[in-house]
């Protein structure tokens, strides 16, 4: 009786609407504003549902929704003739289209939609209509059984349900849907993985981060939503080279079964497979992880090398600086690109967020540093005090003073009005990094002159001068302000004490092999240290552990990792690389993996090893018979002989090229270069010229007669520009190319 009464009331309201509002006059567009907005009037309800529906509504769906009661119960007592009459009267405003294997009604034009939704009374009902649509699709099955088409996916539900749940602010339902492995599998099979990723992106932005509840005894939380999203992204990355594989039946369930034990995807996969007598795990990973992967997001989209990155204090936004001069802004939760814009005319070498996350500092090789308003991408101030490329940036704790280091070997202190406050001079090489102490009274600077200096900002004098064996590329203060950590050549990170005087203040060194360590970061209240290598690996050490090798090593990138940065809350690590990719890492997951690595025992009969120390620079070895030479106290990157065998040239990781007389077995000239030289070679028919490829992407040409006559090894000419770290170099047979 209740459903019949409901239909009868709707029928009476329809008749009343016709009698009092002249429904036939709706044929004129200028009468759209005259729609009666009383809840229950069919014209009003029908237009409202069509305006809100994402992909239109079929005749069956519209009939069901108009007479929906409570939890999806419907009435069939309404005269079908009256429904057809109403649709006929609305013909000027609606149109039929083919969508998802059926004919659907939708609003004819967007201008009609905006007019209708601006009529008083419509806006108040939008959320209710979205709730009706969400419940309607919720009660449908994921698959349909058809005599003609057989078993097929319910595309209408997959495409529309989560959209309407989000618009209706049904946050628990959104989490349940996006954490449902069967729905994830169905959407992937239907070729809707890209649409599912967009739904995750929208849902994670909309769902409250503090959502924690229980539905039918099952936990519903934002953290579960994050977990399922990261599982989905990991699966996409794993199958990225085989895009059609993700559409294979049951594949996502198999991927979930290979997730770490007791994670939400693994638990759901176990239940699904156990419910079917024929189901089994037919795709089993040989190295199934025992903990969640620390890789959270992969940010892809830059057209050039990413030299620097920084994550905001709250960990919500990431900024990248590229070789093209562009800045890229990313949402760290969803891995979505927020915006990109041209910030400089040359390579961006450093970027920093201010604490508000709405302002960005950038420094570039166009000799400038700039302050940007992130929401509007407008430049607030430009600092032009340097005469050469600006390589590094630092922000004081009160954010009133900025420090920038450049190739001019100077450190400039300036304010947000881009006014120079002071210039610190003392380095003999480009300043690659700088960092303020926690109290803001001191500044540490790292330079290619193989030193790290600590400056007193009150007296503008050098307090400490820490000597290194190779070029210093990065520096950070510990939170206590009494220690700092540096990254340098020879794949070395060093901890220094600002109070200790013996051993030059050196507390400890961390080594990972050959090459240079371009960046380092401190995490987890300075108990964990990360060092990034030129080979693309990340090495993690416990600061207080005396182990000779890292507790965990991750092959993070395929190119040099130029920069690492951590969020202020210590939850996230960001790495940027020459492979044009930025990655976001979960520090908690990294610490868990480190704990698992410690539990593993060294196999019996195997021992750890220590790296051999580099020879002292004063040490000179010579074997009279073999003419064994050891003028280079560092790792040799490459060696080349001239065509006649008169000269030899060796390139080393300290950035020097050594020219040798092979007959006398002695060094003739040491060629200083501001960047690490990877490889050098001679043309096929000349002993007078050799070329070298450097990690700044420049090929340099050296003329031996000019070098010998001038007595200077710094004369060279750049002839080519490439991505950083050229791995190979060869001269054509004619010697001209």
């Amino acid at each position: 009786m209740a459903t019949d009464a409901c239909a009868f009331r709707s029928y009476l309201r329809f008749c009343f609407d016709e009698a009092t509002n002249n429904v036939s006059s709706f044929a004129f567009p200028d009468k759209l504003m005259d729609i009666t907005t009383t809840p229950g009037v069919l014209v009003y309800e029908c237009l409202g549902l069509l305006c809100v529906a994402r992909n239109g509504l079929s005749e069956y769906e519209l009939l069901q929704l108009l007479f929906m009661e409570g939890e999806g119960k419907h009435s069939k007592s309404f005269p079908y003739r009256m429904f057809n009459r109403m649709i006929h009267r609305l013909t000027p405003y609606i149109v039929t289209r083919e969508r998802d294997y059926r004919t659907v009604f939708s609003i004819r034009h967007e201008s009609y939609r905006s007019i209708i939704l601006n009529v008083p009374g419509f806006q108040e009902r939008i959320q209710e209509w979205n709730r009706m649509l969400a419940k309607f699709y919720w009660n449908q099955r994921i698959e349909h059984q058809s005599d003609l088409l057989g078993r097929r996916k319910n595309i209408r539900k997959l495409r529309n349900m989560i959209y309407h749940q989000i618009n209706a602010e049904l946050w628990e339902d959104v989490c349940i849907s996006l954490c449902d492995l069967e729905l994830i599998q169905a959407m992937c099979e239907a070729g809707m993985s890209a649409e599912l990723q967009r739904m995750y992106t929208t849902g994670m932005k909309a769902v409250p981060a503090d959502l924690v509840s229980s539905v039918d005894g099952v936990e519903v939380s934002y953290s579960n939503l994050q977990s399922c999203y990261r599982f989905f992204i990991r699966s996409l990355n794993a199958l990225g080279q085989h895009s059609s594989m993700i559409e294979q039946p049951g594949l996502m369930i198999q991927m979930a079964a290979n997730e770490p034990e007791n994670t939400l995807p693994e638990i759901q996969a176990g239940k699904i497979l156990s419910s079917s007598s024929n189901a089994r795990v037919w795709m089993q990973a040989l190295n199934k992880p025992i903990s969640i992967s620390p890789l959270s997001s992969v940010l892809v989209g830059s057209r050039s090398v990413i030299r620097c990155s920084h994550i905001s204090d709250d960990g919500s936004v990431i900024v990248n600086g590229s070789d093209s001069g562009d800045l890229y802004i990313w949402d760290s939760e969803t891995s979505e690109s927020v915006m990109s814009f041209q910030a400089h005319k040359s390579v961006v070498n450093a970027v920093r967020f201010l604490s508000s996350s709405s302002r960005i500092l950038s420094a570039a090789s166009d000799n400038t540093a700039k302050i940007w308003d992130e929401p509007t991408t407008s430049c607030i101030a430009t600092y032009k005090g340097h005469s050469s490329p600006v390589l590094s940036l630092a922000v004081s704790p009160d954010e009133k003073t900025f420090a920038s280091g450049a190739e001019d070997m100077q450190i400039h202190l300036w304010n947000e009005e881009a006014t120079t406050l002071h210039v610190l001079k003392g380095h003999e090489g480009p300043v690659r990094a700088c960092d303020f102490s926690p109290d803001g009274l001191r500044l540490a600077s790292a330079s290619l002159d193989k030193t790290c200096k600590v400056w007193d900002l009150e007296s503008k004098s050098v307090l400490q001068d820490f000597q290194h064996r190779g070029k210093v590329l990065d520096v950070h203060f510990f939170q206590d302000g009494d220690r700092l950590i540096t990254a340098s050549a020879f794949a070395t990170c060093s901890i220094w004490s600002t109070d200790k005087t013996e051993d030059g203040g050196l507390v400890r060194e961390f080594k990972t092999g050959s090459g240079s360590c371009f960046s380092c970061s401190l995490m987890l209240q300075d108990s964990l240290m990360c060092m990034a290598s030129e080979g693309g690996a990340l090495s993690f050490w416990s600061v207080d552990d005396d182990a000779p090798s890292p507790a965990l090593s991750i092959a993070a990138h395929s190119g040099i990792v130029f920069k690492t940065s951590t969020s202020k809350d210590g939850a996230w690590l960001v790495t940027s690389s020459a492979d044009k990719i930025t990655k976001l890492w979960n520090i908690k997951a990294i610490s868990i993996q480190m704990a698992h690595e410690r539990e593993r025992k060294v196999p019996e009969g195997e021992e750890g090893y220590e790296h051999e120390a580099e020879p002292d620079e004063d040490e000179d070895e010579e074997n009279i018979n073999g003419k064994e030479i050891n003028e280079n106290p560092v790792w040799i990157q490459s060696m080349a002989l001239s065509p006649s065998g008169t000269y030899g040239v060796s390139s080393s990781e300290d950035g020097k090229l050594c020219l040798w007389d092979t007959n006398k077995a002695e060094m003739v000239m040491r060629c200083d270069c501001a960047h690490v030289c990877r490889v050098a070679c001679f043309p096929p028919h000349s002993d007078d010229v050799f070329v070298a490829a450097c990690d700044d992407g420049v090929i340099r040409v050296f003329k031996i007669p000019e070098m010998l006559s001038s007595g200077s090894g710094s004369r060279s000419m750049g002839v080519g520009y490439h991505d950083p770290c050229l791995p190979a170099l060869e001269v054509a047979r004619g010697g001209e190319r």
Side-chain angles (χ1 to χ4, degrees), residues 31 40 79 93 152 199 203 220 251 309 320 338 361 432 440 443 510 547 553 608 628 655 686 730:
K31 292 295 184 178
Y93 314 113
R152 57 188 176 88
M199 290 177 182
V220 178
L251 188 60
S309 59
N320 291 338
V338 178
L361 267 68
R432 284 293 302 264
L443 180 76
F510 305 88
S553 292
E628 193 172 307
S686 175
E730 187 174 353

Side-chain angles (χ1 to χ4, degrees), residues 469-486:
R469 292 180 178 178
K471 298 177 180 182
V472 191
L473 304 172
D474 201 5
V475 62
H476 295 284
F477 269 102
F478 278 72
Q479 292 179 5
D480 57 17
D482 296 331
R483 295 174 295 168
L484 51 86
I485 187 168
T486 59

